[in-house]
Amino acid sequence: MNRSSTGLPRRGARLLAGVLAAGTVVVGASTGAVAAGPGSAGGASGAGACAGSGPLPRACAQPGDLIDVTLGELHPTQAVLGFDQVFYKLGRYGSDRDEAAGGFNKRFDDWCETNGQGEAASVGPGARLDDPASFACTVPLGQETPKSIAPMKTAVIGPGGKLYLTDGHHTLTSFLEGPDGSTRLPVRLRVTDNFSSLSTTAFWQRMTAEKKVWLRDESNKPLSVDQLPDRLGITHFRDDPYRSLVYFTRDIGYEVPDGATEFLEFSWGSWLRGEHDPAAYDLTSPGPYLDLVKSASKSMAALAPDAVVDDGKTAAQLGRIAEWNGGKKETGGEFAKLGKPLTDAKPGKLAEALDYKARVLRAPACTTKITGVRNGPLTVTNGVTCADRAALRGPVTVRAGAALVLTGSTLQGPLQSDRAAAIHVCGSGVTGPLAISRTAGPVRLGGPGCTANAVTGAVVLTGNTGGVLLAANKVTGPVACSGNLPAPDTAGRPNEVHGPRTGQCAGV
């Protein structure tokens, strides 16, 4: 194959040299692309667009190419996450325990691995994931190996050059919700397929036929592709406790096999639904949670290798472990590591997850639900009104004693509340001023378990007494806060404010 001075195929070198333009230019490096097949690059943009020199459209990427993306460009292919798995990562990412032990924070190792670059080699003072120049990985760019590329997350190129994530939803959501996360955070993905030449209908038919999309909800009921989230962020997903359970049984009841297919853990979760009930356990307490993990993992390990687990896949194909906990007693092996308390020098994953989980404010139960498009003014006079993936076009007013929960939605118009019971705005876009005063309960605008928002207009928070979380939001306009008890908290994730910050919010 014709190679450039970088050691990459010349086509891959041109991909690496590309610059992002209108979100459609490939800027990654190929590791040796295979020939295009049916539905591969070339159909959407034409063969001419993928020839010659200069930057190439993203629709030209072929299987094996590594492409630079930002988290905000990615479209999920599943609607559920195991929130406790994400909470473990976020607890670890926000802790200084790794540094105290003489190492680097885990998020830098995870980013390097995801990027096909091994693990962190050096991390400078104040290093951030959104500034890759502030840290270094053990494998330099352009020197990737099959071993370093193997754990990379994967994507499919869809119609219009859109990027559909097929592996890595938990990790990349953790990056987004982490201490330095944002939709602009860069990472590389490995392209597995290019279906950009297909129509939207044919694309989803192909994705479904090749099992590259998980169309089940948190109760294992079927979903349509229209019900998939359109972006990353924990707010946009539903929580599946079985998915978290499977994560914690890893290397105790099963091992990830070589060449594992997408959504392997969901297949195990589907089987466990008929065997164990997480609702019978207190999943906020380490002891009961560990009991559930032990029971579930022993059931998995006890399966015959040829037992069918889900969708025709056998226990052996899904990585069933030969001996529970690697043949070790409960006091040893991965099971013992999992159960180590937070006070241990190396806490277990379960302790880290539950510590972070305890910081997540629960939204009140909905009495009224809004989805889809709603035109005109909305006045919430009582109860709890929840707008989920809704488009509200008109002013919203929340009266005394009522509550509003806005998740994954857009609001075109001002939001005003006075003496409300609670206000939760997560993963949403608000165009118009936001004025919240004298709230008796929590005011949550971002923070643990609540994806950050984008607000165009002033944010005014006055006299709220139930606690104010104002974290990682992008605000185009002034932010003014006064008389809040306690003062607004960023949860360690400052906001991006394009406008003056005054009063209690001078430092947010």
Side-chain angles (χ1 to χ4, degrees), residues 227-310:
Q227 292 173 289
L228 292 172
D230 62 354
R231 54 195 145 154
L232 294 178
I234 198 164
T235 293
H236 307 301
F237 291 89
R238 311 173 193 202
D239 181 27
D240 181 355
Y242 284 97
R243 179 59 180 78
S244 293
L245 175 59
V246 174
Y247 175 71
F248 291 127
T249 66
R250 186 177 296 177
D251 298 323
I252 302 171
Y254 84 105
E255 300 170 308
V256 178
D258 292 337
T261 58
E262 289 93 347
F263 313 114
L264 175 147
E265 290 86 356
F266 282 117
S267 291
W268 275 118
S270 296
W271 180 80
L272 284 172
R273 289 175 194 278
E275 305 294 323
H276 301 275
D277 182 12
Y281 298 79
D282 179 3
L283 299 186
T284 65
S285 178
Y289 209 139
L290 201 61
D291 288 341
L292 174 60
V293 172
K294 179 171 70 173
S295 180
S297 58
K298 286 193 171 183
S299 296
M300 296 161 76
L303 280 171
D306 59 354
V308 176
V309 173
D310 180 59

Side-chain angles (χ1 to χ4, degrees), residues 105-167:
N105 188 279
K106 179 176 170 57
R107 71 185 191 276
F108 295 104
D109 283 332
D110 285 355
W111 189 93
C112 289
E113 180 182 79
T114 298
N115 224 47
Q117 294 183 256
E119 58 188 20
S122 64
V123 177
R128 297 173 55 88
L129 291 189
D130 55 5
D131 179 14
S134 65
F135 60 97
C137 304
T138 54
V139 179
L141 282 173
Q143 297 182 29
E144 298 82 0
T145 65
K147 181 179 179 181
S148 73
I149 289 170
M152 289 184 70
K153 309 310 178 185
T154 55
V156 171
I157 311 293
K162 285 186 177 180
L163 293 170
Y164 290 86
L165 187 67
T166 53
D167 179 48

Side-chain angles (χ1 to χ4, degrees), residues 98-396:
D98 292 330
E99 293 91 333
F104 304 127
N105 188 279
K106 179 176 170 57
R107 71 185 191 276
F108 295 104
D109 283 332
D110 285 355
W111 189 93
C112 289
E113 180 182 79
T114 298
N115 224 47
Q117 294 183 256
E119 58 188 20
S122 64
V123 177
R128 297 173 55 88
L129 291 189
D130 55 5
D131 179 14
S134 65
F135 60 97
C137 304
T138 54
V139 179
L141 282 173
Q143 297 182 29
E144 298 82 0
T145 65
K147 181 179 179 181
S148 73
I149 289 170
M152 289 184 70
K153 309 310 178 185
T154 55
V156 171
I157 311 293
K162 285 186 177 180
L163 293 170
Y164 290 86
L165 187 67
T166 53
D167 179 48
H169 292 79
H170 289 79
T171 296
L172 300 192
T173 295
S174 301
F175 289 166
L176 180 69
E177 304 286 356
D180 34 25
S182 77
T183 56
R184 299 185 304 278
L185 195 151
V187 71
R188 284 196 307 174
L189 300 177
R190 178 170 56 84
V191 175
T192 61
D193 300 275
N194 188 325
F195 300 151
S196 62
S197 65
L198 301 177
S199 68
T200 298
T201 299
F203 169 75
W204 285 115
Q205 290 174 342
R206 181 90 174 254
M207 292 285 284
T208 302
E210 298 194 10
K211 302 186 188 303
K212 294 182 181 295
V213 58
W214 185 260
L215 293 175
R216 301 186 204 175
D217 69 8
E218 70 277 21
S219 300
N220 212 33
K221 295 179 180 177
L223 291 173
S224 67
V225 295
D226 293 336
Q227 292 173 289
L228 292 172
D230 62 354
R231 54 195 145 154
L232 294 178
I234 198 164
T235 293
H236 307 301
F237 291 89
R238 311 173 193 202
D239 181 27
D240 181 355
Y242 284 97
R243 179 59 180 78
S244 293
L245 175 59
V246 174
Y247 175 71
F248 291 127
T249 66
R250 186 177 296 177
D251 298 323
I252 302 171
Y254 84 105
E255 300 170 308
V256 178
D258 292 337
T261 58
E262 289 93 347
F263 313 114
L264 175 147
E265 290 86 356
F266 282 117
S267 291
W268 275 118
S270 296
W271 180 80
L272 284 172
R273 289 175 194 278
E275 305 294 323
H276 301 275
D277 182 12
Y281 298 79
D282 179 3
L283 299 186
T284 65
S285 178
Y289 209 139
L290 201 61
D291 288 341
L292 174 60
V293 172
K294 179 171 70 173
S295 180
S297 58
K298 286 193 171 183
S299 296
M300 296 161 76
L303 280 171
D306 59 354
V308 176
V309 173
D310 180 59
D311 197 27
K313 302 183 185 74
T314 67
Q317 290 172 323
L318 294 176
R320 163 211 172 259
I321 203 165
E323 292 185 89
W324 181 80
N325 197 32
K328 297 181 174 63
K329 297 180 179 179
E330 291 182 17
T331 53
E334 292 300 318
F335 185 77
K337 291 180 183 178
L338 178 68
K340 287 186 176 181
L342 202 64
T343 53
D344 194 273
K346 294 183 178 181
K349 292 180 178 179
L350 200 52
E352 298 264 23
L354 297 185
D355 179 62
Y356 188 90
K357 188 177 187 176
R359 304 176 220 163
V360 177
L361 293 176
R362 288 185 176 273
C366 306
T367 57
T368 300
K369 295 183 179 181
I370 299 172
T371 58
V373 177
R374 187 187 189 282
N375 295 309
L378 170 65
T379 301
V380 182
T381 57
N382 56 63
V384 180
T385 293
C386 298
D388 181 30
R389 298 181 70 179
L392 306 181
R393 298 171 180 170
V396 174

